[in-house]
Amino acid sequence: MPAPNPSELAFIPFVSVENMMKLVHGIGLETMLRELADYIEEDFRRWELFDKTPRVASHSAEGVIELMPTSDGEVYGFKYVNGHPKNTRKGLQTVTAFGLLARVDTGYPVLLSEMTVLTAIRTAATSAMVARHLAPKGARTMAMIGNGAQSEFQALAMKAVCGIDAIRLYDIDSAATEKAMRNLAGHGITLTACATPEDAMEGAEIITTCTADKQYATILTDNMVGSGVHINAIGGDCPGKTELHKDILERSTVFVEYPPQTRIEGEIQQMPEDFPVTEMWQVITGDAPGRTDAQQITLFDGVGFATEDFSALRYIHDRLNDTGLYQNLDIIADPDDPRDLFGMLQRAAG
Amino acid sequence: MPAPNPSELAFIPFVSVENMMKLVHGIGLETMLRELADYIEEDFRRWELFDKTPRVASHSAEGVIELMPTSDGEVYGFKYVNGHPKNTRKGLQTVTAFGLLARVDTGYPVLLSEMTVLTAIRTAATSAMVARHLAPKGARTMAMIGNGAQSEFQALAMKAVCGIDAIRLYDIDSAATEKAMRNLAGHGITLTACATPEDAMEGAEIITTCTADKQYATILTDNMVGSGVHINAIGGDCPGKTELHKDILERSTVFVEYPPQTRIEGEIQQMPEDFPVTEMWQVITGDAPGRTDAQQITLFDGVGFATEDFSALRYIHDRLNDTGLYQNLDIIADPDDPRDLFGMLQRAAG
């Protein structure tokens, strides 16, 4: 990012939901999922550079509001995101989000963006990037347990990044499965609606669990999971919210993003504090093994980490140039003399 | 805040710098400082309700970027703010900020606002609210040490809230003093430019220090401070940045906002961890004494706390109705069916 002059810095580009959707369609969703998976992987590769902290959460009876900051030393980013499972009953979304990038050297923001749509895309791109490293070679079938707002993005990412071409869908609410089937029709994926989770598992090399209830749930029990699969468990993502029976964790090699956060929020919150996990960035740099044999169950205990949002915002910032798909937001005061904020205010009265 | 319907929630009001300045002039700056001092005091009075945490800081060689979240259980707020002392050399501001309010029950944002101008106003309103409790009765003269971007706001707040009508200004850069003198002319305050800090102290009942260098500085030494004054020390607000000689702290009764944050960032970072301080909210509720005698030196070690930004955003939210001084920002995705984010995206392609 070259340094713009101060008057340009008085405005920052804002990507609205409408413009984000136009940007997605301009690039093409599958292309974007592939490119974003590469951006996320690139930032995992330089993991040690990042200023990392567990997200800053404000919990209430109804849900959680979180701030997720990080920095690579040159660029700072953060996301605001909520998680309110009961929102859907009021016609609202479980998760909404927006995010920001700023220059570390001046602290001035350079991008504000909606991230409800973008988070759905980055979450799917992260899952697919991880599956590219851990799933059995030549995997073509995925079981998709939980067919809510994130499910279609997961499906397309696994297709675009990993070559999955058959998806078996299950949800406790069959209307959700029907919605996902409708949305995914015509995308070159063989779709099968399943009446039970066991049915969905049939022949699946990747199992994705993505359900939303804020409770200790057991979406998968031990006898449902055969050897050699990759489990992409992304619905257990806050304290008190899990999806897998702990026996599955005992049988699996567990991969995580950032252990201090995953131990609080992920499936491994059920396990002792020293339960062994592998950090995904080390698999990517080659410092730790990924899948080592065909019988192994690999399990990605994904909770979503700040660097993934950083990667997504960085991608949007890079792709925004010349598209015109943003508004300039007058969010930074820009007095002619930086010490004369009061003078600027006073002159505005005239 | 009554619950709006979902489609209204797809947009949130955004107050730009331009609209904030119009709002300030519409209300009148002195009126706003008085009203905001009352909002801040009201939130200090219900201090125990708030979810409090030291701000989340990302430090670099050039400065700091901070997130300051808090919640009263019904409304959540946070501020993004940077502090980059060398920015002014590039024609940029030391501090820029913006903030957000959201509903705790749904996590949906309800206000996004510039806060560069608003932070200057809330910082001054906080100082004045505190001085209203601690300064010697009938105080009319203030020494203003440091005549940068915050100084005129401090001056007007002390006038509007505490009845100060004479201000003695000093800055190591006389151009800054001249700027502040120009800006404050015609506001009903007797202004005196001083050649030395000692000269500025002459007859002052309140001493405000507000300088910006990121270093351990000694703006005030012990022999400069007479008995009975109130010191409003607001420039020492991050690790490694102080303004007062520690001997002054030893002689003073020190009042702070939130001890866990002030011990890291404030003047008392020079002192042992158990150095006694009084929490300002307890003075306001009557749980702790404020000024107890006329000879006492009271010292407000102000670093700025999240509840003050919360109060400021709450005030703006309350005052925004019907003014039209905002834009509607399309920052929240609003699918007809909250589980059908993908369908919304897909339909946007058409």
Side-chain angles (χ1 to χ4, degrees):
Chain A
M1 291 187 228
N5 67 48
S7 60
E8 286 172 23
L9 284 174
F11 293 92
I12 73 166
F14 164 65
V15 183
S16 67
V17 176
E18 188 185 350
N19 277 325
M20 180 60 75
M21 296 197 292
K22 285 183 181 161
L23 191 64
V24 172
H25 292 300
I27 296 169
L29 179 53
E30 290 192 40
T31 302
M32 188 166 169
L33 285 160
R34 262 191 302 269
E35 292 180 346
L36 188 48
D38 290 343
Y39 266 65
I40 294 167
E41 185 172 296
E42 190 182 311
D43 286 336
F44 268 76
R45 203 177 292 282
R46 56 196 192 105
W47 186 258
E48 286 165 295
L49 263 180
F50 282 89
D51 188 4
K52 292 174 290 290
T53 174
R55 49 188 150 206
V56 183
S58 180
H59 293 278
S60 63
E62 299 91 353
V64 64
I65 296 176
E66 297 170 332
L67 299 175
M68 302 168 69
T70 193
S71 160
D72 70 359
E74 291 189 5
V75 180
Y76 169 95
F78 84 90
K79 180 169 79 168
Y80 169 101
V81 60
N82 75 299
H84 285 71
K86 290 176 196 153
N87 266 6
T88 51
R89 298 180 204 164
K90 306 172 202 162
L92 306 178
Q93 292 190 96
T94 302
V95 172
T96 67
F98 71 90
L100 175 122
L101 286 183
R103 297 171 61 103
V104 167
D105 61 350
T106 63
Y108 271 49
V110 295
L111 176 71
L112 181 70
S113 177
E114 87 80 35
M115 287 192 78
T116 306
V117 174
L118 189 58
T119 295
I121 295 172
R122 81 87 161 117
T123 301
T126 301
S127 283
M129 182 277 287
V130 169
R132 176 162 67 187
H133 287 275
L134 300 178
K137 290 279 164 258
R140 297 183 58 177
T141 301
M142 175 166 84
M144 181 75 231
I145 312 295
N147 303 151
Q150 171 62 205
S151 62
E152 300 95 336
F153 295 95
Q154 287 284 329
L156 279 192
M158 290 295 184
K159 178 193 171 218
V161 176
C162 304
I164 289 295
D165 61 8
I167 298 189
R168 304 178 65 80
L169 299 99
Y170 172 76
D171 196 290
I172 47 169
D173 177 0
S174 61
T177 305
E178 284 157 26
K179 172 222 61 166
M181 296 279 289
R182 267 196 313 277
N183 283 336
L184 289 170
H187 282 94
I189 304 171
T190 304
L191 302 166
T192 309
C194 301
T196 66
E198 287 81 357
D199 184 16
M201 275 345 127
E202 193 69 39
E205 292 122 332
I206 298 177
I207 301 167
T208 292
T209 57
C210 185
T211 59
D213 262 344
K214 188 173 177 178
Q215 59 181 332
Y216 293 106
T218 306
I219 312 298
L220 293 192
T221 54
D222 193 31
N223 59 357
M224 290 161 68
V225 177
S227 68
V229 300
H230 173 65
I231 304 174
N232 172 43
I234 58 167
D237 64 356
C238 72
K241 184 158 175 280
T242 60
E243 296 181 319
L244 308 184
H245 194 282
K246 64 199 273 272
D247 288 352
I248 299 174
L249 301 176
E250 297 279 12
R251 281 169 64 208
S252 306
T253 309
V254 177
F255 298 83
V256 304
E257 291 142 317
Y258 181 60
Q261 183 176 305
T262 312
R263 291 195 191 276
I264 297 168
E265 302 177 357
E267 295 300 326
I268 58 169
Q269 68 186 276
Q270 307 175 63
M271 310 307 278
E273 267 186 48
D274 59 352
F275 181 78
V277 296
T278 303
E279 295 188 50
M280 202 55 220
W281 71 272
Q282 293 191 306
V283 176
I284 290 163
T285 57
D287 291 334
R291 170 174 291 276
T292 51
D293 75 76
Q295 299 308 304
Q296 184 182 20
I297 300 172
T298 53
L299 192 161
F300 175 49
D301 188 0
V303 296
F305 188 59
T307 60
E308 296 151 20
D309 301 306
F310 180 92
S311 308
L313 288 167
R314 195 164 66 77
Y315 176 75
I316 296 301
H317 189 264
D318 288 353
R319 287 304 221 114
L320 208 54
N321 293 336
D322 308 326
T323 61
L325 295 174
Y326 58 91
Q327 301 150 249
N328 279 317
L329 225 56
D330 168 27
I331 200 169
I332 298 176
D334 179 43
D336 296 331
D337 169 358
R339 288 178 311 186
D340 198 12
L341 189 65
F342 188 87
M344 181 187 78
L345 176 62
Q346 215 161 21
R347 285 186 290 276
Chain B
M1 290 186 229
N5 67 49
S7 60
E8 286 172 23
L9 284 173
F11 294 92
I12 73 165
F14 164 65
V15 183
S16 67
V17 176
E18 189 184 350
N19 276 326
M20 180 61 74
M21 294 196 294
K22 285 183 180 160
L23 191 64
V24 172
H25 291 301
I27 296 169
L29 179 54
E30 291 192 39
T31 302
M32 188 166 169
L33 285 160
R34 261 191 303 267
E35 292 180 347
L36 188 46
D38 290 342
Y39 266 65
I40 294 167
E41 185 172 297
E42 191 182 311
D43 286 336
F44 267 76
R45 204 177 291 283
R46 56 196 192 107
W47 185 258
E48 286 164 295
L49 263 179
F50 282 89
D51 188 6
K52 291 174 290 289
T53 174
R55 51 188 148 204
V56 183
S58 178
H59 293 278
S60 64
E62 298 91 353
V64 64
I65 296 175
E66 297 171 331
L67 299 174
M68 302 168 69
T70 193
S71 160
D72 70 359
E74 291 189 6
V75 179
Y76 170 95
F78 84 89
K79 180 168 80 168
Y80 168 101
V81 59
N82 75 299
H84 285 72
K86 290 176 195 151
N87 267 6
T88 51
R89 298 181 205 164
K90 307 173 202 163
L92 306 178
Q93 291 189 97
T94 301
V95 172
T96 67
F98 71 90
L100 175 120
L101 287 183
R103 297 171 60 101
V104 167
D105 61 350
T106 63
Y108 271 50
V110 295
L111 176 70
L112 180 71
S113 177
E114 88 79 36
M115 288 191 79
T116 306
V117 174
L118 189 57
T119 295
I121 295 171
R122 81 88 161 114
T123 301
T126 301
S127 283
M129 182 278 286
V130 168
R132 177 163 66 187
H133 288 275
L134 299 178
K137 291 278 163 262
R140 297 183 59 177
T141 302
M142 175 167 84
M144 181 75 232
I145 312 295
N147 303 152
Q150 171 63 205
S151 62
E152 301 95 336
F153 295 94
Q154 286 284 330
L156 279 193
M158 290 294 184
K159 177 195 172 216
V161 176
C162 304
I164 289 294
D165 60 10
I167 298 190
R168 304 178 65 81
L169 300 98
Y170 171 76
D171 196 291
I172 47 169
D173 177 1
S174 62
T177 305
E178 284 157 27
K179 172 221 63 164
M181 297 279 289
R182 269 197 311 276
N183 283 336
L184 288 170
H187 282 93
I189 304 172
T190 304
L191 303 166
T192 309
C194 300
T196 66
E198 288 80 357
D199 185 15
M201 278 342 129
E202 192 70 39
E205 292 121 333
I206 297 178
I207 301 167
T208 292
T209 56
C210 184
T211 59
D213 263 344
K214 188 175 178 177
Q215 60 181 327
Y216 292 107
T218 306
I219 312 298
L220 293 192
T221 54
D222 193 32
N223 60 356
M224 290 160 70
V225 178
S227 67
V229 300
H230 173 65
I231 304 174
N232 173 43
I234 58 168
D237 63 356
C238 71
K241 184 159 176 279
T242 60
E243 297 182 318
L244 307 185
H245 193 282
K246 65 199 271 275
D247 288 352
I248 299 174
L249 301 175
E250 298 279 13
R251 281 169 64 208
S252 305
T253 309
V254 177
F255 298 83
V256 304
E257 290 140 318
Y258 181 59
Q261 183 176 304
T262 312
R263 291 196 191 274
I264 297 168
E265 303 177 355
E267 295 299 325
I268 57 169
Q269 67 186 277
Q270 307 175 63
M271 309 308 278
E273 268 185 47
D274 59 352
F275 181 77
V277 297
T278 303
E279 296 189 48
M280 202 55 219
W281 71 272
Q282 294 191 305
V283 175
I284 290 164
T285 58
D287 291 334
R291 170 175 290 276
T292 51
D293 75 75
Q295 300 307 305
Q296 184 182 21
I297 300 172
T298 53
L299 192 160
F300 175 50
D301 188 0
V303 296
F305 189 59
T307 60
E308 296 151 21
D309 300 307
F310 181 93
S311 308
L313 288 167
R314 195 164 67 76
Y315 176 74
I316 296 300
H317 189 263
D318 288 353
R319 287 305 221 114
L320 208 53
N321 293 334
D322 309 324
T323 61
L325 294 174
Y326 59 91
Q327 302 152 249
N328 279 317
L329 225 56
D330 168 26
I331 200 168
I332 298 176
D334 179 43
D336 296 332
D337 170 359
R339 288 179 311 186
D340 197 13
L341 190 64
F342 188 87
M344 180 187 79
L345 176 60
Q346 216 160 23
R347 284 186 290 276

